[in-house]
Structures are given as C-alpha cells and as structure tokens.
Amino acid sequence: MASTDISLHNNVPIAHDEHDHEHDHHDQPFIFKYIFSQDHKVIAKQFLISGIIWAFIGGALSSLFRLQLGWPNETMPFLEPILGKWIEGGKLNQEFYLALVTMHGTIMVFFVLTAGLSGTFSNFLIPLQIGARDMASGFLNMLSYWFFFLSSVIMFTSLFLETGPASAGWTIYPPLSALPQAIPGSGTGMTMWLVAMVFFIVSSLLGSINYISTIINLRTAGMSMTKLPLTIWAFFLTAVLGVLSFPVLFSAALLLVFDRSFGTSFYLSDIYVAGQALSNTGGSPILFQHLFWFLGHPEVYIVILPGFGIVSEVIATNARKPIFGYRAMIGSMLGISILSFVVWAHHMFVSGMNPFLGSVFMFLTLIIAVPSAVKVFNWLATLWRGNIIFTPAMLFSIGFVSLFISGGLTGIILGNSALDIQLHNTYFVVAHFHLVMGSSAFFGMFAGVYHWFPKMFGRMMDEKLGYIHFWLTFLGVYLVFLPMHYVGIAGFPRRYYSWTAFETFSQFADLNMFISAAAIIAWFAQFIFLFNFVYSIFRGRRADANPWRSNTLEWTTPIHPGHGNWPGAIPAVYRWPYDYSKPGAEEDYIPQNIPHSETKSSNLSSEKELE
Amino acid sequence: MLFLVIGGAAFIWSFQNAEERIHIPVGSVHGVWIDDMFWLTMVVIGIVFVITQILLFYYSYRYQYKEEKRAYFFPHNNKLEIIWTMIPAVVMALLVFKGWKTWTKITDPAPKEAMVVEIVGKQFNWIARYPGTDNALGNVRTNLIDATNELGIDFSDQRSVDDILPSEIHIPKGRPILFKIRSRDVIHSFYLPHFRAQMHAVPGMPTKFWFVPTKTTADMATETGNPDFKYELVCNQICGANHFAMRAVVIVDEPEEFQKWMSTQKAFVADKPELLKNLKNPQGIVLDTKKEGTNKAAL
C-alpha cells in the first residue's frame, strides 16, 4: 500500500490498523499541511478554491464581451480604469474582444470544468468513497496540483501581455493561431497559451493516472466494482478519457509549436498574409482540427461525466430511493465514454472534410442520444415515488437534469450534418454547449459543493442562501441561453464583435440586450455563492457526522478526518450504496458498511445467504 | 412547479414572439430540405422536451418529503429499461436515415452544367472570380500574389487570360451554381444564411459548395417587404480583428439580367497589360517573394 508514509494529524485518535508506526504525531508545519500537501482532501480543496477563482475570472471576461454584444453602439469609458489601452475612445478593442472570448472558453473548459471539477471531486471522493487512506501516490497527486498551479500562473500572466493573450478562439485553429501577422494575440500570447496547456496536460495526466490506479487497487474489503457509488464510476471513466485523449492534444500543440517557432509546415500551406507570401507548403489546417477534436470531443464528456456521477449520488440520497437501474447507469456511462472517441469530426462537417465521413460521424454522433436518454429516464424514475428532500444540492441536481435535457436535445439537431450546414458556428451551437456542458457541469459542481461541503469543512453551508443562489442561477441560465437559440436559428454567427453591419442580424438588438443583461445578473448572483462558501467555512453551522443520512463510506469518517481518513480500521463494505428506503429496514437508509446480518428484517430473499 | 408553469408559459410566449424573425427566408432548393429536416427534428425533440421537463418538475412537486412517508424501493426493472432504450434508438435511426439522405443529396457532386464561381476569403473581405468565356479558371500560385494580382493568378496559364474579377457577385436564378472556395491566409467560412449554404475556406485546400438559387434579390424584396433586401455573405469562422465585418453581398438575377451584367464585365487583365508582361519572367518574382518570406519567418 502506497500510503505507508502518511502521518496522521494529531487531533485524530490514534488507533491504527496497519501502520502502528512510531511517528510522533506533531502538527505538520503549515507549508506541508496546506501548501505542499499530499493529503488528497487538502489537494481537493486547493483545486476547488483555484477553480472558483478561475470561474469568477472567466465569468468576468464573459460579462465584458456581453456588454459589447448587448450594447454595440454605446461607449464604455467606465471600463478604462480596468482595461486601460484595450478601451479606445470608449470602445472595446476588436482584437481584445476576440481575446476575451478565447480566454473565457479556455478558462471555463479547462481550468474550471476540468481541473476545478475533476480535480476537486475525484481527489476528494475517490479515497473516501472506496475506503482508502489516500491516493495511490500522494506525491504525484501533489505534483498534479502544482503543475496545474504553474499552468494557471502562466495563463493568468498572459492576460497582461501588451499584445494581448491568445485570441484565435479556444479551439486555436491554425493558421490564425500560428501567425502573429494575422492577429497580435498569436504572438507571445499564443506561446504562453501553449506552454500553459502543456503543463495543464501534464497535471491532468498525473491526476488521471492516479485516480485510475487508486480505484483499481485500493478499494476496501468487499468494495467490488459493482458496489462502487456511481460517482466513482464517473470519475473512473473521466480519468480514462483524459488519459487517452489529452496526449493527442499534447501532440497537436507540439506540432503547432513547431510550425510557429521552427518553420515546419504541419498545418500551413499556400499562405499570403500581411503582404508576404510564406514559404510553408504541404501542410493541412484540417489535420489540426482532427487532432484537436480528438481531445476536444471527449473533453466535453470529461466535463460532464463527473456531473453525471455527482447528480446520481445526490438524487438517490435526497430522494431517499435507490438510483434506478444502477447497472444501466454504468452501462450508459460506458457507452457514452466509448462513443465519445468516435464522434470528434461532427465539429468539422463543413470544414471541407469528405462528405462520406460526414455521414459516418453523423450516425455515430446521434447514437449518443440513446445512452443519454437512458440516463435521463433513470433519473426521472429515481424521483418517481421518492421522498424528496430539497437541499440546495438536490435543487442543483434537478436543475442539472433539466439543463441536460434541454441542451442534450439540441445536440440531436447539431449532430445532423445536414442541419449543421446552416447552424455551424452560430449562436445555436453556443447555446447548445453552454446548456449541456457549461451550465450542466456547473450545476453538477454546485451540487457537489453543497453536498460534500460538510465533509470538506465540517460545517454546513447556509440553505437559504443556497436556495436564492439556485433560483437566480437557474433562471439566469435559461434566460441567457434559451433566446440564444432563437438568434442562432436565424444564423447569427459566434465570435462577432458587432453585428450592426449585417441587415440579417441587426433585427436582434433587443434579444442581445436581454441576453447580456441576464448573463451579467447571473454572474453577480454567483457572489451569493462565494459569500456563502467563504462565510460557512469559518462560521457555518457545525455539521453532524452524516448530515444527509447517506450510505456511502465518506460519512463513516470523523467529522474532521485527518490524513488517513479513518482513525481505526478501514470499514469493510457489504452492500451497494443505494439501500435507501428498503422495505423492512428501521431507518430509510443502510450504509454500505452495515453487514446483512444486522439487517435481517430488510434483506431481500436473494440476500439471505449473505447473512 | 411554479417554475414549470411560469417558465413554460414564458417559453411559449418568447418563442412565438421570436418565431417570425428566426425563420429567415430561404432562397435555395436544398434550403427547403434543410428547413424541413430542422423543423421535423424540432417537433420530435420538442415532444421529448415537454414530456421530460413536465415529469421532472411534477415528480419533484408531487413527491416532496413527508416524515411519515417511505419512498418506494424500486432499484430496477429490466423491461422498462429495454423499452426506453429501444424507443430512442428507433427514433434516432429514423432521424439518422432522413438526415443522411438530405446530407448526401446536398453534398453530391455538382451537376456538369453548373456555373462555376470562385470565391476567395482573405483578411477581411471576399474576392470573386468568374471563369470567363472558356468556362475554366486559370491556375493560381500563392507566390504570385501582390497588391494588383490579389489572387495570384498565373497568367502564363492560357485559361486565366479571360478570368473576370468583378466588384459585385452576381448569380442567375434557377441554375446550379458551384462555388469553388479558397482562402489565402487563415480559415474563413463561406456562409450564406439565406441559402442554407456554408463551407470553410481553407488555405491550401480548395473546398466547394453548390446550390440552386430559387429567388432573385427582387423576389426576396417583395417576399420580405423590404425593398433593400440583400443576400449577405458572412464569414463564420474566427479570422482576426475584423472578422465581424467580413461581409459581401450576393445578387441573384433573372437569367437574362445576369447575362446582361456578365456581358458588361471585362477580363481582369484587359486594363492591366503589365501583369502579362511581368509573367514573361515569372521565375524572378518567385525567387524574390520567397526570399522575403524566408526572412520574415526567420524573424
């Protein structure tokens, strides 16, 4: 076991099973306890807090460009103190606008919804829910966070470059991203973007390898793969996707670095820019798109799968009912994960790719609707005849299902190559993925934070503020993204600084203003969450050991678990995690560590032999 | 529950409010197929949307927590699960089939009699080239591009001598038009929302899109009641600072008007004899630009 070097925190009673080591349990110095910590719980909190900071930055960027889109004819001199030279004569600089959308996408997709979500919950929950003392390698885990931190610092610094940060869109399609002559953001900004992403990928791989080996090797006695909570299944598949697809992004980035800095022509051919014909020949920009989307598509599942897991767990717990179709839920996640690798080119229907490939990818893409539909029906069936407690986590989970339905359904339209001819790169696409992987994933994250906050900090978050936060966010999301579909159906193109020159699009001034107002209000609503989060860490009501009366193992640890999680022996597991409201049971829940011999009244006939 | 009712009502109201404007009129044969396919899919997903959202909020409302109540222990039911795997599978199969038919019809090779128009994207405008009387476009070479010869047309190629680079883009109604799409710097996207036509313009890889326009600009002006109606060509792939302003107008004429317009157009080289002269010695130009290009790259 890799956790032999773990030293327990001294306020935990020491009655230790496997290493009665002679460490004297002095307080670790602050720097090792909170900064260079190898404790998965501390690392999870580091990811969470970094993710929250990034989310506010990403949100702020979007508010800036929504200002421009909502009121394209207004001047905004009041932004001058913040943005300096990017405001010219009261108007937002056009290139900076593109930098804003690029950085918003990059930050939200990678730094918040990949690192912030997986980093937080995979780290926090995997050892706690499978019954392990820590990750397989605490050291790699620590490195994973610090590579992420380094990547964050580089990406953040690039915001302040004189030529601006990367601005070729978060998908950084070359040649635009390869040629500083074409857009200034493709100079140093793009270099820093690439360097930051390389560290990010390293971080993500270290994390994923760790999650996978921990789940495979360190499960406690009795915890078979089919007794794992769905959260763990989700994190497991997320990590597998990451390990298989991030290296491809790495290679795409590497080739781009070569093209930018060493004169190669992987992606460049026949280009005349800024009065110069370039000597590059024979490259293909389409190659980059294939490589990029080979990560890019699994990436959206990397973002949403943890949400699936968290929401399944929260819904089952708060509906006081077993998740409906546990095995079907695993099967559908598996199906989605596998399919996610063979659909990447649906982002490229009109890229000039052979139309035959378009047909194949349309077919494969639309199949994903089937396992997704199964998941939705299973969640609905879990709510049916439940006994639903509306905690903020539960509200966010129900909101997640609602947003996932809405956003998932429009995917059926976009996955159809014929329809994509019209809708490609319009606001319909923007609306679709913001609902399904943006907002849904955020809702999954909020559900997770509200649900596991007591385990993280030993205190409860304020419920009333949670309700207000939920309703404002939920309404905000629909008010922003529903009208966005309308302008998208009319062909409104994304990444447009201003649309007033086009007759076709200027009829939507009112809708754009409405969307912008809603988006900015929704962003401000997040400060309620921030306040609640920070306040509750220090002043929240003290939590019970198992505040949600949940079955999973993390609630069998002390309220403030030390490094090593369980002071005594690790509990063994006897049953699946969803024995809620079992007929004949005393309580409406039976934790996983209760043997069947203690629950004779509720055992099903098939379980008699386990007594 | 409140959310469902009010939200549902607001959704319907907003949809009706926006409906008229989001149907942008369609001006091509295949555009109608796409619209049909779109609204068919919309109806299908609309039904699923309404049912699932109602169930979601109704169940949440109906099964609120009561102390004395117990939830119904219902871990799985294979029959149900098979049913709700099969139904979406069948529906998706039908949609895939119809989508595939539509897609193949649209992307099949253009008919032989199609009129060819080349359209080249550059930062930040579009340049059109017509093949002239020989109905064939001449060769182009990137290293021949300069301020006059913006497309880098190789005039040592006989086919290029009658090529036309008009300042407006005109196409005739009722005839298949094959757009040969290129880019000379970064990726752009050739997007004509009214024709439901879109294809990326990729440097180094020519692409194409063909369609049959069904309404002239004048027809559209009558239909929309907007005397100034214009078919707008939009760049729909981020391409730099003025991405949002990369606009061109496509004018659809009646065939005879189109012929009249075409007959007034002169070949590109007609008033630029120096281009032909330069090409007496194309080798020199190639070397010069190449040298500069390399220097730039080395910087």
Side-chain angles (χ1 to χ4, degrees):
Chain A
M1 180 141 177
S3 56
T4 39
D5 56 350
I6 289 170
S7 56
L8 287 173
H9 191 266
N10 74 340
N11 59 13
V12 176
I14 308 149
H16 213 266
D17 63 329
E18 55 181 34
H19 35 119
D20 286 86
H21 39 57
E22 296 81 45
H23 286 206
D24 34 342
H25 296 278
H26 55 84
D27 251 326
Q28 285 174 301
F30 180 83
I31 186 162
F32 290 114
K33 193 169 159 198
Y34 293 113
I35 300 186
F36 293 105
S37 171
Q38 299 190 17
D39 181 350
H40 70 101
K41 297 184 292 297
V42 177
I43 295 170
K45 290 175 202 168
Q46 291 172 333
F47 270 113
L48 178 60
I49 289 165
S50 318
I52 291 175
I53 294 169
W54 270 122
F56 274 91
I57 297 173
L61 299 183
S62 71
S63 296
L64 286 175
F65 64 71
R66 275 317 318 181
L67 274 178
Q68 166 63 29
L69 281 168
W71 296 273
N73 296 323
E74 302 290 321
T75 53
M76 300 176 276
F78 60 92
L79 288 174
E80 218 155 325
I82 320 171
L83 296 177
K85 77 172 170 94
W86 297 116
I87 297 284
E88 289 157 353
K91 299 292 287 177
L92 197 65
N93 176 289
Q94 297 156 14
E95 275 149 358
F96 191 66
Y97 171 84
L98 294 179
L100 287 174
V101 296
T102 304
M103 295 310 284
H104 167 75
T106 308
I107 290 170
M108 288 304 197
V109 171
F110 294 112
F111 290 78
V112 181
L113 294 176
T114 305
L117 187 57
S118 275
T120 304
F121 291 103
S122 296
N123 265 315
F124 192 74
L125 292 178
I126 288 173
L128 283 172
Q129 288 197 332
I130 66 171
R133 299 225 176 258
D134 202 324
M135 283 289 177
S137 167
F139 182 71
L140 282 191
N141 213 14
M142 178 184 81
L143 278 188
S144 160
Y145 178 76
W146 287 103
F147 271 113
F148 168 64
F149 187 81
L150 181 62
S151 161
S152 297
V153 169
I154 297 172
M155 194 62 93
F156 187 71
T157 315
S158 83
L159 288 171
F160 301 99
L161 287 174
E162 195 178 352
T163 48
S167 40
W170 81 275
T171 55
I172 57 156
Y173 281 5
L176 186 60
S177 61
L179 305 171
Q181 308 95 304
I183 188 164
S186 291
T188 323
M190 194 64 220
T191 308
M192 289 180 76
W193 193 97
L194 287 165
V195 172
M197 282 313 295
V198 164
F199 286 120
F200 183 88
I201 294 168
V202 171
S203 152
S204 163
L205 288 176
L206 289 176
S208 297
I209 292 170
N210 219 348
Y211 307 152
I212 294 172
S213 45
T214 308
I215 293 172
I216 291 180
N217 294 316
L218 297 184
R219 301 191 309 274
T220 183
M223 181 65 95
S224 63
M225 289 303 269
T226 48
K227 289 199 180 73
L228 286 177
L230 286 173
T231 34
I232 302 300
W233 266 103
F235 300 146
F236 179 67
L237 292 170
T238 306
V240 172
L241 290 187
V243 166
L244 294 178
S245 63
F246 265 115
V248 180
L249 179 67
F250 190 93
S251 62
L254 206 62
L255 298 186
L256 185 55
V257 169
F258 283 176
D259 271 8
R260 289 165 49 80
S261 307
F262 308 121
T264 56
S265 307
F266 290 107
Y267 307 133
L268 307 177
S269 187
D270 302 339
I271 290 167
Y272 180 91
V273 68
Q276 298 280 340
L278 305 184
S279 57
N280 304 75
T281 176
S284 165
I286 306 294
L287 169 65
F288 177 85
Q289 296 175 23
H290 280 294
L291 292 173
F292 180 86
W293 288 114
F294 191 85
L295 159 91
H297 199 78
E299 171 64 27
V300 308
Y301 290 96
I302 290 175
V303 163
I304 199 75
L305 274 169
F308 287 165
I310 291 170
V311 163
S312 303
E313 181 65 30
V314 172
I315 285 186
T317 306
N318 290 296
R320 313 307 296 160
K321 208 167 161 270
I323 194 82
F324 182 82
Y326 173 75
R327 281 173 193 248
M329 287 306 237
I330 297 174
S332 55
M333 281 199 282
L334 210 62
I336 289 174
S337 307
I338 294 166
L339 283 172
S340 74
F341 277 103
V342 288
V343 298
W344 76 87
H346 67 214
H347 299 266
M348 302 164 57
F349 284 140
V350 295
S351 66
M353 179 179 77
N354 188 321
F356 171 72
L357 282 178
S359 316
V360 176
F361 279 99
M362 162 168 62
F363 170 68
L364 292 166
T365 302
L366 293 189
I367 301 181
I368 293 196
V370 177
S372 311
V374 169
K375 292 202 82 72
V376 169
F377 295 143
N378 284 358
W379 283 319
L380 289 176
T382 307
L383 290 175
W384 178 69
R385 293 185 64 183
N387 201 11
I388 303 169
I389 304 168
F390 288 102
T391 62
M394 184 62 172
L395 284 176
F396 274 103
S397 300
I398 293 172
F400 172 99
V401 178
S402 172
L403 296 173
F404 182 70
I405 295 173
S406 311
L409 284 171
T410 50
I412 295 175
I413 289 192
L414 290 169
N416 186 323
S417 51
L419 304 182
D420 191 59
I421 294 173
Q422 175 72 0
L423 296 171
H424 175 81
N425 265 356
T426 63
Y427 266 78
F428 197 86
V429 178
V430 179
H432 158 73
F433 72 73
H434 273 94
L435 276 183
V436 79
M437 67 165 270
S439 308
S440 293
F442 261 107
F443 271 50
M445 191 162 163
F446 285 132
V449 172
Y450 280 105
H451 193 78
W452 280 287
F453 191 87
K455 191 78 259 164
M456 289 182 180
F457 300 102
R459 290 171 186 269
M460 309 291 284
M461 287 180 81
D462 186 85
E463 294 221 331
K464 292 229 168 50
L465 287 177
Y467 295 145
I468 299 172
H469 172 226
F470 168 76
W471 283 109
L472 286 177
T473 313
F474 192 55
L475 283 173
V477 166
Y478 269 119
L479 292 179
V480 170
F481 298 118
L482 211 65
M484 230 180 233
H485 288 95
Y486 303 156
V487 293
I489 294 171
F492 199 97
R494 69 193 283 201
R495 294 167 180 153
Y496 261 37
Y497 169 77
S498 157
W499 29 267
T500 39
F502 289 85
E503 209 182 289
T504 322
F505 309 130
S506 36
Q507 47 162 339
F508 292 112
D510 54 344
L511 272 182
N512 265 315
M513 210 186 294
F514 180 81
I515 293 172
S516 293
I520 292 165
I521 293 170
W523 180 66
F524 276 112
Q526 303 315 307
F527 283 95
I528 300 175
F529 169 78
L530 185 67
F531 170 77
N532 194 355
F533 183 82
V534 176
Y535 180 84
S536 302
I537 290 179
F538 300 104
R539 291 287 170 82
R541 195 159 52 78
R542 287 185 189 282
D544 305 331
N546 189 355
W548 318 119
R549 293 179 293 136
S550 176
N551 285 344
T552 38
L553 282 185
E554 73 271 29
W555 306 106
T556 62
T557 60
I559 292 172
H560 291 280
H563 198 175
N565 296 341
W566 285 269
I570 300 177
V573 162
Y574 300 95
R575 57 180 74 235
W576 76 328
Y578 298 107
D579 268 346
Y580 290 106
S581 300
K582 213 170 176 190
E586 262 169 58
E587 296 268 3
D588 63 355
Y589 69 112
I590 310 173
Q592 281 189 281
N593 59 337
I594 307 289
H596 287 92
S597 53
E598 291 177 24
T599 57
K600 290 195 175 140
S601 60
S602 70
N603 289 349
L604 306 172
S605 51
S606 60
E607 289 165 343
K608 291 288 180 210
E609 66 205 56
L610 298 167
E611 291 173 8
Chain B
M1 197 63 194
L2 199 66
F3 175 81
L4 177 70
V5 176
I6 299 178
F11 174 50
I12 293 167
W13 174 83
S14 72
F15 185 75
Q16 279 177 341
N17 182 266
E19 197 183 4
E20 224 167 90
R21 291 183 296 168
I22 64 181
H23 282 115
I24 58 167
V26 53
S28 65
V29 175
H30 79 274
V32 179
W33 306 336
I34 289 189
D35 280 10
D36 288 349
M37 181 80 221
F38 179 79
W39 291 108
L40 171 81
T41 317
M42 265 310 210
V43 169
V44 173
I45 67 173
I47 293 168
V48 181
F49 175 81
V50 170
I51 294 175
T52 47
Q53 298 280 9
I54 287 182
L55 287 182
L56 179 67
F57 287 98
Y58 174 69
Y59 287 166
S60 307
Y61 167 77
R62 171 77 177 68
Y63 300 109
Q64 293 176 55
Y65 187 73
K66 290 196 191 77
E67 189 79 55
E68 72 287 355
K69 216 176 65 178
R70 264 295 170 94
Y72 173 54
F73 188 80
F74 185 48
H76 68 105
N77 178 325
N78 291 343
K79 203 155 112 202
L80 261 181
E81 283 171 50
I82 289 170
I83 292 174
W84 66 45
T85 311
M86 291 316 290
I87 293 178
V90 171
V91 174
M92 292 323 292
L94 294 175
L95 286 178
V96 166
F97 184 72
K98 194 164 159 48
W100 171 70
K101 290 290 263 189
T102 314
W103 168 252
T104 344
K105 273 198 289 183
I106 296 170
T107 55
D108 269 348
K112 283 220 172 53
E113 73 274 16
M115 188 184 102
V116 173
V117 181
E118 184 185 60
I119 187 109
V120 181
K122 67 181 252 291
Q123 288 182 330
F124 295 97
N125 57 301
W126 300 95
I127 303 167
R129 177 162 69 129
Y130 290 69
T133 45
D134 63 354
N135 210 21
L137 292 162
N139 279 341
V140 285
R141 293 225 305 272
T142 309
N143 41 29
L144 295 177
I145 297 175
D146 58 29
T148 345
N149 188 1
E150 285 197 298
L151 296 184
I153 302 168
D154 179 358
F155 288 103
S156 60
D157 179 358
Q158 193 52 47
R159 291 174 301 178
S160 38
V161 178
D162 63 346
D163 286 359
I164 302 164
L165 273 78
S167 53
E168 288 178 339
I169 308 171
H170 283 251
I171 49 174
K173 173 172 126 178
R175 194 175 150 191
I177 316 288
L178 170 61
F179 281 96
K180 294 197 163 181
I181 303 156
R182 294 195 299 119
S183 163
R184 64 170 222 195
D185 39 39
V186 299
I187 299 179
H188 304 276
S189 184
F190 167 84
Y191 178 36
L192 289 164
H194 293 97
F195 296 111
R196 314 291 190 259
Q198 175 158 219
M199 184 54 69
H200 281 189
V202 184
M205 188 184 89
T207 56
K208 57 186 190 299
F209 197 98
W210 73 274
F211 62 88
V212 184
T214 53
K215 292 170 192 162
T216 64
T217 302
D219 292 344
M220 271 299 201
T222 329
E223 185 185 317
T224 57
N226 172 10
D228 297 321
F229 177 86
K230 288 184 185 72
Y231 284 114
E232 289 176 310
L233 167 57
V234 181
C235 178
N236 196 13
Q237 178 67 45
I238 179 171
C239 65
N242 289 321
H243 170 49
F244 70 98
M246 197 166 149
R247 169 181 182 268
V249 172
V250 173
I251 299 161
V252 184
D253 296 319
E254 294 291 348
E256 29 316 340
E257 285 171 56
F258 175 76
Q259 281 312 328
K260 214 157 80 195
W261 173 78
M262 200 40 144
S263 59
T264 62
Q265 300 299 313
K266 279 204 221 93
F268 182 61
V269 282
D271 50 357
K272 302 176 191 66
E274 74 278 7
L275 280 175
L276 287 171
K277 202 170 67 205
N278 280 350
L279 271 142
K280 293 272 160 52
N281 185 11
Q283 214 53 29
I285 293 171
V286 176
L287 282 176
D288 278 347
T289 35
K290 212 166 185 177
K291 216 160 140 198
E292 275 183 49
T294 338
N295 287 342
K296 183 82 186 176
L299 284 174

